């Protein structure tokens, strides 16, 4: 691949039922680029969890996916409330999601741990009241 | 196990239209109403049993490359959910059995966790 391939999405924070649409699109695009199934699934799951988090906690945001010869980078940015204690948020089972979110099948405190599990690197930049940017990479070389 | 056999074992009603997909094979199963737990469990060609009814069930199964979703306790997915599943080539069926009974029937019929290459 001579140049990086970039995909950009606006994630609608108002509509839970359509959340995950960007991840589904990325999955299809990566398949068209000939990326192997294993990498595609890891990217899709990590991005899907991130998208759901943005809808649940931050009223949406943006998702960018940059595909190079060496890696797939996913950047999820929101202007939500920020994460007060990142290390606590990274613990499996810890969640601040409301009960109505749990009734929809999410908010089990597995989102961030799953994102870390399926990617090679994950960085969280967050500021209370300003928002959160999560950058993840999956190495494909 | 063929998806068609699941239909018989669970006395299930298939809700998606592509009959060819019923010849697909499932190698393992996962039963949960928590989609993040499903996302923590990566296996190819699985079946998801759930009592949760919303579009994220279909998207989660698609992310995991699952080939079949069984809604238990006669939970009925919406037309939009069925359309999404058809887009992703996922078979959707519903059964009157409760989750515990449905899992027991599949397990005792030989659907225990296996890798696709086994």
């Amino acid at each position: 691949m001579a140049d990086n391939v970039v995909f950009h999405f606006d994630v609608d924070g108002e509509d839970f039922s359509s959340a995950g649409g960007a991840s589904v699109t990325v999955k299809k695009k990566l398949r068209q680029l000939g990326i192997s199934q294993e990498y595609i699934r890891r990217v899709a799951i990590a991005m899907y969890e991130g998208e759901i988090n943005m809808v649940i906690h931050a009223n949406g945001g943006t998702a960018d996916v940059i595909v190079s010869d060496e890696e797939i980078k996913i950047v999820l940015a929101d202007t939500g409330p920020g994460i007060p204690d990142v290390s606590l948020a990274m613990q499996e089972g810890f969640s601040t999601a409301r009960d109505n979110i749990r009734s929809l099948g999410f908010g089990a405190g597995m989102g961030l741990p799953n994102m870390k599990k399926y990617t090679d690197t994950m960085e969280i930049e967050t500021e209370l009241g300003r928002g959160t940017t999560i950058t993840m990479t999956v190495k494909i070389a | 196990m063929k998806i068609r056999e699941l239909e018989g074992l669970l006395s299930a009603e298939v809700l998606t239209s592509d009959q060819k997909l019923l010849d697909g094979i499932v190698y393992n199963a996962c039963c949960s109403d928590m989609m993040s737990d499903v996302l923590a469990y990566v296996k190819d060609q699985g079946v998801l049993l759930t009592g949760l009814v919303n579009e994220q069930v279909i998207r989660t199964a698609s992310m995991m490359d699952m080939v079949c979703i069984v809604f238990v306790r006669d939970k009925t997915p919406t037309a939009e959910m069925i359309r999404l599943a058809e887009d992703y080539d996922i078979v959707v069926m519903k059964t009157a059995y409760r989750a515990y009974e449905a899992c027991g029937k599949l397990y005792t019929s030989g659907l225990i966790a296996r890798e696709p290459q086994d």
Side-chain angles (χ1 to χ4, degrees):
Chain A
M1 203 181 311
D3 298 311
N4 291 353
V5 179
V6 180
F7 305 108
H8 174 82
F9 304 90
D10 292 315
V11 177
D12 181 358
E14 301 293 323
D15 185 7
F16 180 81
S17 67
S18 70
S23 305
V24 171
T25 302
V26 163
K27 201 172 180 214
K28 282 183 192 160
K29 299 278 188 192
L30 293 179
R31 198 173 289 147
Q32 287 166 5
L33 289 173
I35 306 288
S36 87
Q37 183 74 6
E38 170 62 20
Y39 297 133
I40 291 174
R41 183 160 47 190
R42 288 170 56 200
V43 167
I45 293 170
M47 183 171 167
Y48 181 54
E49 288 277 21
E51 245 191 286
I52 294 284
N53 269 353
M54 280 201 284
V55 174
I56 292 174
H57 298 289
N59 200 30
T62 59
D64 290 276
V65 178
I66 303 112
V67 184
S68 70
D69 287 334
E70 295 81 30
E71 66 182 23
I72 300 167
K73 181 184 283 188
I74 308 147
V75 183
L76 305 170
D78 68 60
T79 53
I83 304 171
D85 185 336
V86 171
S87 60
L88 191 58
M90 288 302 301
Q91 290 180 17
E92 287 190 8
F94 177 82
S95 176
T96 58
R98 298 181 305 278
D99 285 347
N100 65 326
I101 296 299
R102 291 200 180 88
S103 70
L104 294 168
F106 288 89
M110 293 299 291
L112 287 172
N114 272 351
M115 289 158 72
K116 186 171 176 62
K117 173 181 169 185
Y118 287 116
T119 54
D120 292 307
T121 67
M122 180 167 108
E123 290 174 17
I124 301 174
E125 293 171 64
T126 186
E127 191 175 342
L128 290 182
R130 300 295 291 272
T132 300
T133 299
I134 298 181
T135 305
M136 299 175 282
T137 59
V138 171
K139 309 286 182 198
I140 58 174
Chain B
M1 180 181 290
K2 280 195 174 182
I3 295 174
R4 199 180 295 283
E5 291 174 66
L6 293 181
E7 178 191 3
L9 285 166
L10 300 176
S11 306
E13 178 186 351
V14 175
L15 303 171
T16 41
S17 57
D18 190 343
Q19 297 295 308
K20 289 194 301 294
L21 294 176
L22 296 177
D23 290 323
I25 306 284
V26 291
Y27 292 93
N28 52 63
C30 172
C31 180
S32 181
D33 290 348
M34 291 307 290
M35 294 301 107
S36 276
D37 284 347
V38 177
L39 290 164
Y41 166 99
V42 178
K43 295 284 181 191
D44 274 320
Q45 287 179 258
V47 52
L48 170 63
L49 296 100
T50 187
L52 182 71
V53 180
N54 67 44
E55 287 166 32
Q56 299 308 336
V57 173
I58 312 292
R59 287 210 184 83
T60 297
S62 167
M63 291 297 154
M64 304 307 288
D65 299 318
M66 288 175 144
V67 292
C68 180
I69 301 168
V70 178
F71 290 95
V72 297
R73 281 178 282 128
D74 261 340
K75 298 280 184 90
T76 304
T78 63
E80 177 60 19
M81 289 170 65
I82 292 170
R83 190 194 64 73
L84 258 186
E86 287 175 339
D87 271 0
Y88 302 154
D89 287 337
I90 295 172
V91 175
V92 171
M93 58 180 85
K94 68 171 186 172
T95 176
Y97 288 113
R98 287 175 288 180
Y100 179 74
E101 293 171 295
C103 290
K105 280 183 177 291
L106 298 185
Y107 193 90
T108 54
S109 300
L111 186 60
I112 54 177
R114 286 196 179 92
E115 297 299 326
Q117 66 269 23
D118 284 357

